[in-house]
Amino acid sequence: FALRQWDDPSYHGSRITHGKADFVARVAEAHASGAAPLVDGYAPFCKHVFVPNFVGARVGSMAITEANRTKVRSGYEARTEYELAVLCRWFAEADVTVPEAKYLDVILYSREQIVLENKARDESFDDSALPEVPWGIISVKAQDEPFETPMEPITMMRNALGREEGGSGVKLDREKYRESVDYWRERAPIKR
């Protein structure tokens, strides 16, 4: 899933131009040194590793202010070809000044979850192509906080829909959803 951040020129989120192998090696090194421990995520199969931004990535979202409120765009979008489009809002990168992020939130899923999600979309998925490691990088978020920020409300909804619809299958937690709405009410992702 994270490969699109390197390889897909149409990907709209944080793009990574640093070499993949060196990126993984540097994150693994930070973790092994104790500087970047595994942090529990929203489900048992999800972990985070927070590292200083060593790739020059720009933040993936910004606060909506009086100065930029008129630059917020909206439309129906799907993250991938197999997901249903949903109403989204964002800043176009060309319309705002996007600062370099302080941190990278490297999001990991267990190998088992990665296999489950891929097989839900493609029954012929062959997991032998995956590295034999317990955790795999599924996303890299460029941000200013060294902790997990709330995922977007629509991502929580999609996760609750199940793996067949592009989610993780995690049931919606109403309190976490309210926290997400409070956080994202005055923020928008940046679309590159």
Side-chain angles (χ1 to χ4, degrees):
F1 206 61
L3 292 177
R4 65 191 179 152
Q5 292 182 257
W6 277 267
D7 300 340
D8 183 354
S10 66
Y11 180 67
H12 298 304
S14 294
R15 299 274 312 181
I16 310 294
T17 56
H18 196 87
K20 292 175 206 151
D22 187 62
F23 181 90
V24 171
R26 289 185 66 175
V27 171
E29 180 181 297
H31 172 65
S33 75
L38 285 180
V39 177
D40 289 343
Y42 76 101
F45 59 77
C46 178
K47 302 286 184 196
H48 298 260
V49 175
F50 297 94
V51 295
N53 179 7
F54 62 90
V55 299
R58 306 232 172 249
V59 294
S61 70
M62 293 176 59
I64 298 171
T65 66
E66 288 306 315
N68 65 23
R69 188 172 303 278
T70 59
K71 296 176 181 179
V72 176
R73 300 182 186 194
S74 63
Y76 282 90
E77 297 200 332
R79 297 180 303 180
T80 64
E81 68 278 353
Y82 55 83
E83 291 182 352
L84 296 172
V86 296
L87 183 61
C88 301
R89 69 180 185 175
W90 66 88
F91 289 112
E93 183 177 42
D95 293 344
V96 292
T97 301
V98 184
E100 188 171 303
K102 295 176 184 169
Y103 297 95
L104 300 175
D105 175 3
V106 182
I107 304 170
L108 311 172
Y109 272 13
S110 68
R111 186 178 196 285
E112 178 184 18
Q113 183 68 17
I114 292 170
V115 169
L116 287 170
E117 289 190 22
N118 277 285
K119 286 194 175 192
R121 291 188 295 271
D122 178 5
E123 290 180 7
S124 65
F125 175 75
D126 180 10
D127 63 337
S128 67
L130 291 176
E132 286 293 334
V133 294
W135 300 97
I137 298 172
I138 59 108
S139 186
V140 180
K141 286 175 38 188
Q143 59 187 44
D144 284 337
E145 303 84 1
F147 54 83
E148 180 182 13
T149 59
M151 67 177 74
E152 290 184 72
I154 191 57
T155 303
M156 297 178 89
M157 290 279 196
R158 189 183 309 280
N159 281 343
L161 287 174
R163 290 187 281 272
E164 296 79 15
E165 299 299 331
S168 63
V170 171
K171 186 178 177 193
L172 187 68
D173 176 321
R174 294 177 68 85
E175 186 55 38
K176 291 283 186 193
Y177 184 83
R178 287 185 186 105
E179 290 172 17
S180 172
V181 169
D182 288 344
Y183 180 81
W184 285 98
R185 178 172 304 185
E186 294 301 323
R187 296 191 73 76
I190 298 161
K191 188 172 170 184
R192 284 147 171 100

